[in-house]
Structure formats: structure tokens, C-alpha cells
Amino acid sequence: VHLLSFEMSPEREDLDSKQLRARIDSLRAQADETRQLIAAMRRHAVVEATPAPVALPRRPPPSVKRMRADTSKLHTVVLAVMAHDREASLRDCLRAVLTSSGATQLLRVGVSMDAPYAYAALRAEAQNAAKAYDVRIDCWEHA
């Protein structure tokens, strides 16, 4: 599973134009990498992707044996979009991902919403995208 993360919190609004351009370029690179991953998975090929950053590696307890995933049986990727309160960013993200070749067959999409005042607008964006791309998009509300 490849995690594509977008920081869209209100605290990010103070970026200057150079920082914003760098952020946009980074997101475009992540989107390109995700498209390549989707294409490779459609061919059942194994590719190396840049892992999403994690705080600390988690180790299983000593009594647990390591299990290796059988990628030949991987047919679905779950994409969770952290939307916060940015309808336009959600719309752009869903369009970028769902217009990728094979994305609607391979991806399960969920939208995570943590700003109660924006639930209705974000849910409407998700429903519009679901209709436009003929795909199910789940919405998760939590504060």
C-alpha cells in the first residue's frame, strides 16, 4: 500500500510563493509516482516506491513471526485523503488520482474529514467525484 499524504491544515496558509511552489512540485511528484505505481500494479509488476514518512518504526513483539505479503494477490489499494476543510484541494486531489489509468478499478478511496463545519461541503465534493468517475468514495467524519 502506498500512502499519498497532503497537508491541508489552516496552519499551512502562511507559505510564501517559493515554499508554495516547492510544495506543489512535491505533490505533483507524489502524484506521478502514484500513477506509476498504479500502472505497475495493474501489470502485477513489483516496483519500489518512496515510502511515506513514519514517526518511528514499529517492531513486532519477539513472539510474532514476520509475515511477507503475497503481492500476486494484491488487487486493491486503499487511498485515504485527509481533507480537513479544503474543498478545492479535495476536488483537485480526487481528479488527479481518479483520472489515472486503471485507478477506478484498483483504488478504494476514503475521505477523512476532521472539521465539523466543513463536513457537508467535503461530502458533496466526494459525492460529485464519485458520480463523475463512477467509483465509490467513503467519507469518514471525526473531530
Side-chain angles (χ1 to χ4, degrees), residues 3-4 9-10 13 27 31 36 39 44 47 51 63 67 69 73 89 94 100 103 108 116 127 129-130:
L3 176 65
L4 184 63
S9 64
E13 291 178 357
L27 291 175
Q36 292 171 1
H44 292 96
V47 297
S63 61
M67 298 175 64
K73 295 180 182 175
S89 296
L94 292 174
S100 298
R108 293 286 311 259
Q127 289 172 345

Side-chain angles (χ1 to χ4, degrees), residues 35-87:
R35 284 187 191 100
Q36 292 171 1
L37 179 64
I38 290 169
M41 292 175 77
R42 295 290 294 162
R43 295 187 308 268
H44 292 96
V46 176
V47 297
E48 289 194 28
T50 304
V54 292
L56 294 171
R58 295 184 185 187
R59 293 185 181 168
S63 61
V64 176
K65 290 186 178 183
R66 284 191 170 260
M67 298 175 64
R68 296 210 180 261
D70 182 0
T71 57
S72 68
K73 295 180 182 175
L74 180 62
H75 300 289
T76 303
V77 174
V78 177
L79 173 69
V81 180
M82 310 322 168
H84 303 294
D85 63 353
R86 306 280 177 95
E87 302 101 69

Side-chain angles (χ1 to χ4, degrees), residues 68-130:
R68 296 210 180 261
D70 182 0
T71 57
S72 68
K73 295 180 182 175
L74 180 62
H75 300 289
T76 303
V77 174
V78 177
L79 173 69
V81 180
M82 310 322 168
H84 303 294
D85 63 353
R86 306 280 177 95
E87 302 101 69
S89 296
L90 174 61
R91 181 176 45 251
D92 293 344
C93 172
L94 292 174
R95 180 180 44 228
V97 172
L98 296 174
T99 56
S100 298
S101 178
T104 57
Q105 293 81 25
L106 183 66
L107 290 175
R108 293 286 311 259
V109 180
V111 175
S112 175
M113 304 176 290
D114 65 354
Y117 60 89
Y119 287 168
L122 293 170
R123 184 175 294 283
E125 286 297 336
Q127 289 172 345
N128 289 340

